[in-house]
């Protein structure tokens, strides 16, 4: 059965913020106003009805300053970028992350995008995310230390 996603609404924000911050090691912890702004500027955001999974994506025109997003902007004129995809522990293994990526890919293709970008923690390592990205066709194109954090990331791209 295919997964059905929808855009988040105001009432979802507390639960989605908690989902994000429960996975701050893999993503980044956000205050409520930062999270609200992230969703406001996103090119695409989708959630499950039970709010157990979400994706937030930008395109090259998104008004956002972020070291990782800026890395892609400096190298590619046109792209879609998955800023974060997260699935609650209780609903892992159901194909939600892959289905959220499929949703973003479909939307990006519909807008004529030819490249999808993402990053995954290199240190601390995130082998499950690396495996997911490799399995859906991403290849590594670079890495960087995250400024002001004890963290480094690997940059990935995937042709659409």
């Amino acid at each position: 059965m295919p997964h059905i996603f929808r855009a988040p609404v105001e009432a979802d924000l507390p639960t989605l913020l908690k989902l994000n911050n429960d996975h701050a090691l893999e993503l980044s912890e956000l205050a409520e106003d930062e999270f609200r702004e992230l969703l406001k500027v996103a090119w695409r955001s989708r959630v499950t009805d039970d709010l157990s999974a979400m994706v937030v994506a930008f395109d090259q025109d998104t008004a956002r300053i972020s070291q990782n997003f800026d890395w892609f902007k400096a190298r590619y004129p046109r792209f879609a970028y998955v800023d974060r995809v997260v699935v609650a522990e209780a609903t892992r293994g159901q194909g939600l992350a892959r289905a959220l990526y499929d949703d973003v890919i479909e939307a990006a293709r519909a807008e004529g995008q030819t490249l999808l970008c993402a990053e995954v923690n290199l240190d601390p390592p995130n082998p499950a995310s690396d495996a997911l990205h490799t399995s859906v066709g991403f290849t590594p194109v670079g890495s960087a230390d995250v400024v002001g954090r004890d963290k480094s990331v690997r940059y990935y791209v995937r042709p659409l």
Side-chain angles (χ1 to χ4, degrees):
M1 184 169 112
H3 298 285
I4 306 297
F5 304 116
R6 62 174 175 78
V9 297
E10 180 70 26
D12 299 338
L13 293 185
T15 302
L16 294 175
L17 178 60
K18 182 176 181 345
L19 176 65
N20 182 89
N21 289 345
D22 284 350
H23 297 86
L25 182 65
E26 299 88 359
L27 305 171
S28 58
E29 187 164 346
L30 297 172
E32 183 181 340
D33 60 329
E34 294 171 312
F35 187 67
R36 185 179 303 281
E37 181 65 17
L38 182 84
L39 293 178
K40 179 181 167 189
V41 301
W43 160 75
R44 186 163 186 86
S45 55
R46 291 293 180 267
V47 299
T48 53
D49 271 336
D50 67 358
L51 306 179
S52 67
M54 75 171 164
V55 64
V56 178
F58 306 145
D59 70 5
Q60 71 284 336
D61 297 325
T62 300
R64 173 127 174 102
I65 296 171
S66 149
Q67 177 186 339
N68 296 325
F69 179 57
D70 290 345
W71 191 93
F72 291 108
K73 281 183 76 165
R75 287 160 178 81
Y76 304 104
R78 211 170 136 65
F79 61 92
Y81 165 76
V82 174
D83 181 71
R84 60 197 64 226
V85 60
V86 60
V87 178
E89 190 87 28
T91 54
R92 290 198 179 145
Q94 298 176 19
L96 288 169
R98 185 177 299 264
L100 285 164
Y101 262 106
D102 288 345
D103 176 85
V104 170
I105 288 167
E106 184 179 323
R109 283 183 177 149
E111 292 196 9
Q113 295 287 11
T114 58
L115 190 66
L116 185 62
C117 304
E119 91 277 338
V120 175
N121 284 359
L122 192 57
D123 185 26
N126 190 342
S129 188
D130 281 323
L132 169 70
H133 286 81
T134 301
S135 77
V136 296
F138 281 90
T139 55
V141 292
S143 62
D145 291 330
V146 178
V147 176
R149 300 192 57 203
D150 191 20
K151 177 178 173 175
S152 63
V153 294
R154 179 180 292 120
Y155 296 119
Y156 283 100
V157 297
R158 178 201 190 279
L160 298 176

